[in-house]
Short mmCIF file of all heavy atoms in Angstrom, two decimals:
data_model
loop_
_atom_site.label_atom_id
_atom_site.label_comp_id
_atom_site.label_asym_id
_atom_site.label_seq_id
_atom_site.Cartn_x
_atom_site.Cartn_y
_atom_site.Cartn_z
N GLN A 15 9.36 187.25 73.31
CA GLN A 15 7.92 187.37 73.49
C GLN A 15 7.10 187.00 72.27
O GLN A 15 5.89 186.77 72.37
CB GLN A 15 7.58 188.82 73.87
CG GLN A 15 8.21 189.22 75.20
CD GLN A 15 8.09 190.72 75.45
OE1 GLN A 15 7.62 191.46 74.60
NE2 GLN A 15 8.52 191.16 76.62
N GLY A 16 7.75 186.99 71.12
CA GLY A 16 7.00 186.69 69.89
C GLY A 16 6.32 185.34 69.99
O GLY A 16 6.79 184.45 70.71
N PRO A 17 5.20 185.19 69.28
CA PRO A 17 4.52 183.90 69.36
C PRO A 17 5.32 182.83 68.62
O PRO A 17 5.43 182.86 67.40
CB PRO A 17 3.19 184.17 68.66
CG PRO A 17 3.45 185.34 67.77
CD PRO A 17 4.58 186.12 68.37
N SER A 18 5.96 181.98 69.36
CA SER A 18 6.71 180.90 68.71
C SER A 18 6.69 179.70 69.63
O SER A 18 6.32 179.81 70.79
CB SER A 18 8.16 181.33 68.45
OG SER A 18 8.92 181.25 69.62
N LEU A 19 7.12 178.58 69.09
CA LEU A 19 7.11 177.36 69.90
C LEU A 19 8.06 177.48 71.09
O LEU A 19 7.83 176.87 72.13
CB LEU A 19 7.46 176.16 69.03
CG LEU A 19 7.24 174.78 69.65
CD1 LEU A 19 5.81 174.61 70.15
CD2 LEU A 19 7.55 173.69 68.64
N SER A 20 9.11 178.30 70.94
CA SER A 20 10.03 178.45 72.08
C SER A 20 9.41 179.29 73.19
O SER A 20 9.85 179.20 74.33
CB SER A 20 11.33 179.14 71.70
OG SER A 20 11.66 178.93 70.39
N THR A 21 8.48 180.14 72.85
CA THR A 21 7.92 181.00 73.89
C THR A 21 6.59 180.45 74.40
O THR A 21 5.87 181.11 75.12
CB THR A 21 7.71 182.43 73.37
OG1 THR A 21 6.88 182.38 72.22
CG2 THR A 21 9.02 183.08 73.02
N GLY A 22 6.25 179.25 73.97
CA GLY A 22 5.07 178.61 74.54
C GLY A 22 3.80 178.73 73.70
O GLY A 22 2.75 178.22 74.07
N ALA A 23 3.90 179.41 72.56
CA ALA A 23 2.72 179.50 71.69
C ALA A 23 2.69 178.25 70.83
O ALA A 23 3.48 178.10 69.90
CB ALA A 23 2.81 180.74 70.82
N ILE A 24 1.81 177.34 71.15
CA ILE A 24 1.78 176.07 70.43
C ILE A 24 0.91 176.21 69.18
O ILE A 24 -0.23 176.63 69.26
CB ILE A 24 1.23 174.95 71.33
CG1 ILE A 24 2.14 174.83 72.56
CG2 ILE A 24 1.16 173.63 70.59
CD1 ILE A 24 1.51 174.14 73.73
N PRO A 25 1.51 175.90 68.03
CA PRO A 25 0.73 176.04 66.79
C PRO A 25 -0.52 175.16 66.84
O PRO A 25 -0.47 174.05 67.36
CB PRO A 25 1.69 175.55 65.71
CG PRO A 25 3.04 175.54 66.33
CD PRO A 25 2.83 175.35 67.80
N THR A 26 -1.60 175.69 66.35
CA THR A 26 -2.85 174.93 66.39
C THR A 26 -2.96 174.00 65.19
O THR A 26 -3.60 172.96 65.26
CB THR A 26 -4.06 175.87 66.41
OG1 THR A 26 -3.86 176.87 65.40
CG2 THR A 26 -4.18 176.55 67.76
N LYS A 27 -2.31 174.39 64.10
CA LYS A 27 -2.42 173.57 62.89
C LYS A 27 -1.34 172.52 62.86
O LYS A 27 -0.24 172.73 63.33
CB LYS A 27 -2.26 174.48 61.66
CG LYS A 27 -3.57 174.95 61.09
CD LYS A 27 -3.37 175.17 59.61
CE LYS A 27 -3.91 176.46 59.09
NZ LYS A 27 -3.37 176.91 57.85
N ASP A 28 -1.66 171.40 62.27
CA ASP A 28 -0.67 170.35 62.05
C ASP A 28 0.41 170.88 61.13
O ASP A 28 0.14 171.68 60.24
CB ASP A 28 -1.37 169.14 61.42
CG ASP A 28 -0.48 167.91 61.45
OD1 ASP A 28 -0.47 167.25 62.49
OD2 ASP A 28 0.20 167.64 60.43
N TRP A 29 1.64 170.42 61.34
CA TRP A 29 2.72 171.00 60.53
C TRP A 29 2.56 170.73 59.06
O TRP A 29 2.97 171.52 58.22
CB TRP A 29 4.09 170.56 61.04
CG TRP A 29 4.38 169.09 60.98
CD1 TRP A 29 4.17 168.17 61.97
CD2 TRP A 29 4.94 168.36 59.88
NE1 TRP A 29 4.58 166.93 61.56
CE2 TRP A 29 5.05 167.01 60.29
CE3 TRP A 29 5.37 168.71 58.60
CZ2 TRP A 29 5.55 166.01 59.45
CZ3 TRP A 29 5.88 167.72 57.77
CH2 TRP A 29 5.96 166.40 58.19
N MET A 30 1.94 169.61 58.72
CA MET A 30 1.77 169.29 57.30
C MET A 30 0.82 170.29 56.62
O MET A 30 0.84 170.42 55.40
CB MET A 30 1.23 167.87 57.14
CG MET A 30 2.26 166.79 57.39
SD MET A 30 1.67 165.23 56.77
CE MET A 30 2.78 164.09 57.59
N ASP A 31 0.00 170.94 57.42
CA ASP A 31 -0.97 171.88 56.84
C ASP A 31 -0.48 173.32 56.89
O ASP A 31 -1.26 174.25 56.66
CB ASP A 31 -2.32 171.78 57.58
CG ASP A 31 -2.85 170.36 57.57
OD1 ASP A 31 -2.63 169.69 56.55
OD2 ASP A 31 -3.44 169.93 58.57
N THR A 32 0.79 173.52 57.24
CA THR A 32 1.32 174.88 57.34
C THR A 32 2.34 175.10 56.23
O THR A 32 3.47 174.61 56.32
CB THR A 32 2.02 175.07 58.71
OG1 THR A 32 1.18 174.53 59.72
CG2 THR A 32 2.29 176.53 58.97
N PRO A 33 1.95 175.79 55.17
CA PRO A 33 2.90 175.95 54.05
C PRO A 33 4.01 176.96 54.36
O PRO A 33 3.86 177.82 55.23
CB PRO A 33 2.02 176.48 52.91
CG PRO A 33 0.86 177.13 53.59
CD PRO A 33 0.67 176.46 54.92
N ALA A 34 5.11 176.82 53.64
CA ALA A 34 6.21 177.78 53.77
C ALA A 34 5.85 179.03 52.99
O ALA A 34 5.40 178.95 51.84
CB ALA A 34 7.50 177.18 53.21
N VAL A 35 5.99 180.19 53.63
CA VAL A 35 5.66 181.45 52.95
C VAL A 35 6.95 182.26 52.80
O VAL A 35 7.64 182.52 53.79
CB VAL A 35 4.63 182.26 53.76
CG1 VAL A 35 4.33 183.58 53.05
CG2 VAL A 35 3.36 181.44 53.98
N PHE A 36 7.25 182.62 51.56
CA PHE A 36 8.48 183.38 51.32
C PHE A 36 8.18 184.86 51.25
O PHE A 36 7.26 185.29 50.56
CB PHE A 36 9.11 182.92 50.00
CG PHE A 36 9.62 181.51 50.08
CD1 PHE A 36 8.79 180.44 49.79
CD2 PHE A 36 10.92 181.27 50.47
CE1 PHE A 36 9.26 179.14 49.88
CE2 PHE A 36 11.40 179.96 50.57
CZ PHE A 36 10.55 178.90 50.28
N LYS A 37 8.94 185.62 52.01
CA LYS A 37 8.83 187.07 51.91
C LYS A 37 10.23 187.65 52.07
O LYS A 37 11.12 186.99 52.63
CB LYS A 37 7.87 187.61 52.95
CG LYS A 37 8.08 187.03 54.33
CD LYS A 37 7.01 187.52 55.27
CE LYS A 37 7.41 187.18 56.70
NZ LYS A 37 6.56 186.39 57.46
N PRO A 38 10.41 188.88 51.57
CA PRO A 38 11.76 189.43 51.61
C PRO A 38 12.36 189.31 53.00
O PRO A 38 11.71 189.63 53.99
CB PRO A 38 11.54 190.90 51.23
CG PRO A 38 10.29 190.89 50.41
CD PRO A 38 9.44 189.79 50.98
N GLY A 39 13.57 188.83 53.06
CA GLY A 39 14.24 188.71 54.35
C GLY A 39 14.24 187.31 54.91
O GLY A 39 15.01 187.01 55.80
N ASN A 40 13.38 186.45 54.41
CA ASN A 40 13.40 185.10 54.97
C ASN A 40 13.93 184.04 54.01
O ASN A 40 13.82 182.86 54.27
CB ASN A 40 12.04 184.71 55.57
CG ASN A 40 11.02 184.27 54.55
OD1 ASN A 40 11.24 184.38 53.34
ND2 ASN A 40 9.90 183.77 55.01
N PHE A 41 14.53 184.50 52.92
CA PHE A 41 15.16 183.52 52.04
C PHE A 41 16.39 184.13 51.39
O PHE A 41 16.47 185.34 51.19
CB PHE A 41 14.18 183.05 50.95
CG PHE A 41 13.71 184.14 50.02
CD1 PHE A 41 14.41 184.43 48.87
CD2 PHE A 41 12.57 184.88 50.33
CE1 PHE A 41 13.99 185.45 48.03
CE2 PHE A 41 12.14 185.90 49.49
CZ PHE A 41 12.85 186.19 48.32
N ALA A 42 17.35 183.29 51.11
CA ALA A 42 18.55 183.74 50.41
C ALA A 42 18.24 183.73 48.92
O ALA A 42 17.48 182.90 48.44
CB ALA A 42 19.71 182.80 50.72
N TYR A 43 18.84 184.69 48.20
CA TYR A 43 18.52 184.83 46.78
C TYR A 43 18.90 183.61 45.98
O TYR A 43 19.91 182.96 46.22
CB TYR A 43 19.19 186.07 46.20
CG TYR A 43 18.72 187.37 46.82
CD1 TYR A 43 19.58 188.45 46.94
CD2 TYR A 43 17.40 187.50 47.28
CE1 TYR A 43 19.15 189.65 47.52
CE2 TYR A 43 16.97 188.68 47.86
CZ TYR A 43 17.85 189.74 48.00
OH TYR A 43 17.42 190.91 48.57
N GLN A 44 18.07 183.35 44.96
CA GLN A 44 18.32 182.22 44.06
C GLN A 44 19.60 182.44 43.27
O GLN A 44 20.03 183.56 43.06
CB GLN A 44 17.13 182.07 43.09
CG GLN A 44 16.98 183.19 42.07
CD GLN A 44 16.29 184.44 42.62
OE1 GLN A 44 16.08 184.57 43.82
NE2 GLN A 44 15.95 185.36 41.75
N ALA A 45 20.19 181.33 42.83
CA ALA A 45 21.44 181.41 42.07
C ALA A 45 21.21 182.07 40.72
O ALA A 45 20.18 181.85 40.09
CB ALA A 45 22.03 180.03 41.89
N LYS A 46 22.18 182.87 40.30
CA LYS A 46 22.10 183.51 38.99
C LYS A 46 22.22 182.45 37.90
O LYS A 46 22.99 181.49 38.03
CB LYS A 46 23.22 184.53 38.83
CG LYS A 46 23.03 185.76 39.68
CD LYS A 46 24.24 186.69 39.52
CE LYS A 46 24.20 187.76 40.60
NZ LYS A 46 25.55 188.22 40.96
N VAL A 47 21.48 182.67 36.82
CA VAL A 47 21.44 181.70 35.73
C VAL A 47 22.85 181.38 35.23
O VAL A 47 23.20 180.21 35.05
CB VAL A 47 20.59 182.23 34.56
CG1 VAL A 47 20.67 181.28 33.38
CG2 VAL A 47 19.16 182.41 35.00
N GLU A 48 23.67 182.43 35.05
CA GLU A 48 24.98 182.16 34.43
C GLU A 48 25.89 181.34 35.35
O GLU A 48 26.73 180.59 34.88
CB GLU A 48 25.67 183.47 33.99
CG GLU A 48 26.11 184.40 35.11
CD GLU A 48 25.07 185.48 35.44
OE1 GLU A 48 23.87 185.23 35.20
OE2 GLU A 48 25.47 186.54 35.96
N LYS A 49 25.68 181.43 36.67
CA LYS A 49 26.49 180.62 37.58
C LYS A 49 26.09 179.15 37.47
O LYS A 49 26.95 178.26 37.46
CB LYS A 49 26.31 181.10 39.03
CG LYS A 49 26.73 182.54 39.26
CD LYS A 49 28.20 182.74 38.95
CE LYS A 49 28.53 184.22 38.81
NZ LYS A 49 29.85 184.46 38.23
N VAL A 50 24.79 178.91 37.42
CA VAL A 50 24.31 177.54 37.29
C VAL A 50 24.78 176.97 35.95
O VAL A 50 25.26 175.83 35.87
CB VAL A 50 22.77 177.48 37.40
CG1 VAL A 50 22.30 176.03 37.34
CG2 VAL A 50 22.30 178.14 38.69
N GLU A 51 24.66 177.80 34.90
CA GLU A 51 25.08 177.32 33.57
C GLU A 51 26.56 177.04 33.52
O GLU A 51 27.00 176.07 32.90
CB GLU A 51 24.70 178.36 32.50
CG GLU A 51 23.22 178.28 32.14
CD GLU A 51 22.76 179.43 31.24
OE1 GLU A 51 23.52 180.42 31.11
OE2 GLU A 51 21.64 179.32 30.70
N TYR A 52 27.35 177.88 34.17
CA TYR A 52 28.79 177.64 34.18
C TYR A 52 29.11 176.30 34.83
O TYR A 52 29.89 175.50 34.30
CB TYR A 52 29.52 178.77 34.93
CG TYR A 52 30.98 178.45 35.18
CD1 TYR A 52 31.92 178.54 34.17
CD2 TYR A 52 31.40 178.00 36.45
CE1 TYR A 52 33.25 178.20 34.40
CE2 TYR A 52 32.74 177.66 36.68
CZ TYR A 52 33.65 177.76 35.65
OH TYR A 52 34.96 177.42 35.87
N LEU A 53 28.50 176.07 36.00
CA LEU A 53 28.77 174.80 36.69
C LEU A 53 28.30 173.62 35.84
O LEU A 53 28.97 172.59 35.75
CB LEU A 53 28.11 174.78 38.06
CG LEU A 53 28.76 175.70 39.10
CD1 LEU A 53 27.90 175.81 40.35
CD2 LEU A 53 30.16 175.21 39.48
N ASP A 54 27.14 173.78 35.19
CA ASP A 54 26.60 172.71 34.38
C ASP A 54 27.51 172.43 33.16
O ASP A 54 27.54 171.32 32.65
CB ASP A 54 25.18 173.06 33.92
CG ASP A 54 24.45 171.84 33.39
OD1 ASP A 54 24.53 170.77 34.04
OD2 ASP A 54 23.80 171.95 32.33
N SER A 55 28.24 173.45 32.74
CA SER A 55 29.09 173.29 31.55
C SER A 55 30.35 172.45 31.86
O SER A 55 31.03 172.02 30.95
CB SER A 55 29.51 174.66 31.01
OG SER A 55 30.48 175.24 31.87
#
Side-chain angles (χ1 to χ4, degrees):
Chain A
Q15 297 170 355
S18 78
L19 191 55
S20 332
T21 56
I24 300 160
T26 47
K27 265 209 227 159
D28 192 83
W29 63 267
M30 285 195 196
D31 304 324
T32 315
V35 179
F36 293 88
K37 46 185 192 238
N40 79 352
F41 62 89
Y43 297 148
Q44 69 279 11
K46 289 177 193 150
V47 175
E48 67 266 27
K49 299 299 165 193
V50 183
E51 281 171 346
Y52 169 77
L53 288 170
D54 195 44
S55 73

